[in-house]
Amino acid sequence: MTPTNPAAPTATGAAAPAVLRVRGVTKSFGGAAALKGVDLDLFPGEVHALMGMNGAGKSTLVQVLAGVHQADGGTVEVDGRPQSALSVRKARRLGISFVPQRRELAMGLTVAENVLLGDLPTRGRTVRWKAVRAEAAAALAGLGIDIAVDRTAGTLTVAEQTMVEVAREVRRGGRVLILDEPTACLSAKDAHRIRALVRRLRDEGVAIVYISHYIDEVMAVADRVTVLRDGTLVRSAPAAEMDAAALVRSMVGRDVVSTRPGRPAPKDESGLTIRGLTHGRAVQDFTVQVRKGEIVAVLGPAGDAQSRLFDLLSGRRRPDAGEVHVDGRRVPLGRVRASLAGGLRCVTGDRRALGLVAGLSLDENLMMASDRFARRRLHRRGELARRAAPLRDDYGVVALTGNPPVGSLSGGNQQKVLLGKWLETDPVVCFLEDPTNGVDVAAMADIHTLVDDLASRGVAVLLASSSAEEVMRLADRVVVVSAGRTVAEHDIDAITRDELVATALGGQPQ
Ligand SMILES: Nc1ncnc2c1ncn2[C@@H]1O[C@H](COP(=O)(O)OP(=O)(O)OP(=O)(O)O)[C@@H](O)[C@H]1O
């Protein structure tokens, strides 16, 4: 099981010694083991995918390598030299760079300032701003990234933010680049740009650790794949020796099939009617009708129109124009309370910032929405656990220890808590923004079944998704949005996946 080869061929075919060699790394949190003796060899000029189900230990392992967590046991060698007690600073000095799931740019600063953060060129005590711009522009151009250096980081798309972070890390001398789900929630086009950048860095000799839940993507980009399950390495092999089904089996321990079920036909009554909804440039004249029991998808890059739709439908923001009707009744806009009272349940795509309260426990988060509707204020601890238990089961939420803070759960488990929290509160209409963001293949299949059940119960579902596969799997109809405007609308059985991707990329299907 342990990868024993001391050297592996690089993309150029030459043998090179491992830049990073990990042996028997263990790590526990509160007495529960997240890593149980993991080995990993990483070679220059390879894309090494790290795969596994939610909670398998991928993020913990890379955080040990990046010095964020200290391992309890085992060894890490960089260029053949054992490193004890890696800190973030030490890891960085050794050329190990980490781009975490959540982007970490200073959003108020410019792209140039972010690329050179911590290393601004100065003369005496004055920053040489011209040099800042020139050096940042050169760093970006050197990687083929076309982003103006004067733009404020906050105005960048998620894909652009990722590229700027990668440029910063490469400029700092990163020889090992760890990317934790760099394409989660990106449109097909943006994900393609990120993968092109990864291949380019690989060809320049950078060793890349690539965490992703997208099997097709891993098969396309990875040279080697290591699979973790329950904190243990179950397989490490060249990607060419694996196929998608075998990969799923080694991650999950069984086959996973997620096929479109025969759902009852939608009712004739409208569950949700949106007319002329407009907010700035993000959403322009958006009109859609969703019948009870129907799933209508809004396909477009995550982030812009989709999060704005979340803001408008949930009442967080008031639109410039437009009307929303739920079950035939007009819902006052711009007030969260009115949106909830109207029967709308909106599940955000930004679970960390908007969806969950990180400091509260798993069970408290899971029951928070139901308790709000029941106007329940006081909890006895045992009672909370008793009420939350069936929901944990139904939504397949798994924690290492009893009832930890929700923020310590793996990404996929957090996503299940978020869905459980809202879907159990008698919705008339659900707006779901990228509901399988960051979840593993098995959880993805589970969540798709939950959404099917929701529609079968007669709920009108508006699904914002950046994944054509997900839209094909779930939706009855699809609305394609680009730059805030609807550019196409199709019945799902009247369009193929490839035509859908082509439309989303800007062209009209023939
Ligand atoms: N700081 C922490 N405190 C307590 N438990 C933690 C902490 N960090 C991780 N864990 C637990 O360790 C296990 C491994 O988590 P990890 O985040 O490494 O999984 P993962 O494979 O990256 O999952 P995902 O695909 O969902 O991101 C999980 O059960 C998680 O709840």
Side-chain angles (χ1 to χ4, degrees), residues 101-435:
Q101 279 175 25
R102 199 176 165 74
R103 306 290 164 258
E104 287 186 337
L105 294 180
M107 293 302 173
L109 300 185
T110 64
V111 168
E113 288 163 315
N114 270 288
V115 172
L116 269 74
L117 211 60
D119 185 30
L120 292 174
T122 50
R123 185 178 295 120
R125 288 189 181 178
T126 331
V127 174
R128 293 164 51 224
W129 291 110
K130 234 176 161 172
V132 172
R133 298 181 68 252
E135 285 187 33
L140 293 173
L143 295 175
I145 302 170
D146 182 20
I147 300 173
V149 293
D150 288 331
R151 283 177 65 188
T152 310
T155 67
L156 301 177
T157 64
V158 178
E160 288 169 336
Q161 289 175 23
T162 307
M163 292 183 189
V164 169
E165 274 201 58
V166 168
R168 176 175 71 199
E169 297 305 327
V170 171
R171 188 180 169 278
R172 281 176 176 166
R175 297 174 303 137
V176 172
L177 181 64
I178 300 167
L179 300 173
D180 196 350
E181 296 188 42
T183 55
C185 272
L186 297 191
S187 65
K189 192 172 169 185
D190 281 344
H192 183 79
R193 286 168 75 197
I194 298 287
R195 286 193 293 273
L197 177 59
V198 164
R199 289 195 182 96
R200 181 174 182 142
L201 289 168
R202 185 256 322 264
D203 294 345
E204 288 173 9
V206 177
I208 293 152
V209 179
Y210 196 95
I211 299 183
S212 172
H213 285 294
Y214 302 126
I215 309 235
D216 294 350
E217 162 170 284
V218 164
M219 298 310 279
V221 81
D223 301 302
R224 176 171 284 269
V225 183
T226 290
V227 178
L228 297 182
R229 189 158 83 217
D230 294 332
T232 311
L233 187 150
V234 289
R235 189 155 185 215
S236 187
E241 289 174 16
M242 296 202 185
D243 62 54
L247 196 52
V248 171
R249 270 196 300 278
S250 54
M251 281 193 289
V252 187
R254 59 178 165 84
D255 288 318
V256 175
V257 238
S258 178
T259 44
R260 230 184 132 78
R263 276 199 310 265
K267 300 181 186 160
D268 289 335
E269 301 151 67
S270 169
L272 172 70
T273 306
I274 300 179
R275 271 194 226 110
L277 199 65
T278 300
H279 193 254
R281 287 199 202 172
V283 175
Q284 298 181 46
D285 199 17
F286 182 72
T287 295
V288 75
Q289 189 168 48
V290 188
R291 289 179 290 162
K292 292 184 176 173
E294 188 179 31
I295 303 178
V296 175
V298 183
L299 179 69
D304 4 336
Q306 310 195 346
S307 339
R308 195 61 61 87
L309 276 177
F310 169 81
D311 287 345
L312 298 175
L313 294 176
S314 65
R316 291 184 75 237
R317 289 189 185 206
R318 193 184 298 276
D320 302 332
E323 293 176 9
V324 173
H325 296 255
V326 170
D327 211 0
R329 278 186 298 273
R330 187 162 176 177
V331 178
L333 298 172
R335 295 208 315 266
V336 173
R337 195 179 284 229
S339 158
L340 289 171
L344 263 163
R345 302 287 178 267
C346 299
V347 181
T348 172
D350 189 353
R351 60 178 171 258
R352 288 186 188 86
L354 297 177
L356 299 170
V357 184
L360 291 184
S361 71
L362 187 177
D363 288 344
E364 281 168 312
N365 272 279
L366 200 50
M367 300 312 297
M368 193 179 286
S370 317
D371 287 352
R372 175 177 177 155
F373 288 108
R375 298 184 183 280
R376 212 184 306 257
R377 289 180 195 280
L378 287 174
H379 295 291
R380 268 180 311 178
R381 206 185 263 191
E383 200 208 343
L384 179 71
R386 186 183 54 72
R387 287 190 296 118
L391 245 74
R392 279 199 194 201
D393 266 5
D394 289 350
Y395 287 82
V397 181
V398 183
L400 276 184
T401 51
N403 183 25
V406 80
S408 76
L409 294 181
S410 70
N413 278 299
Q414 290 187 19
Q415 188 64 26
K416 292 183 194 170
V417 172
L418 181 62
L419 286 165
K421 167 180 159 183
W422 286 117
L423 302 193
E424 291 302 307
T425 57
D426 294 326
V428 181
V429 170
C430 266
F431 175 75
L432 305 176
E433 184 185 355
D434 264 316

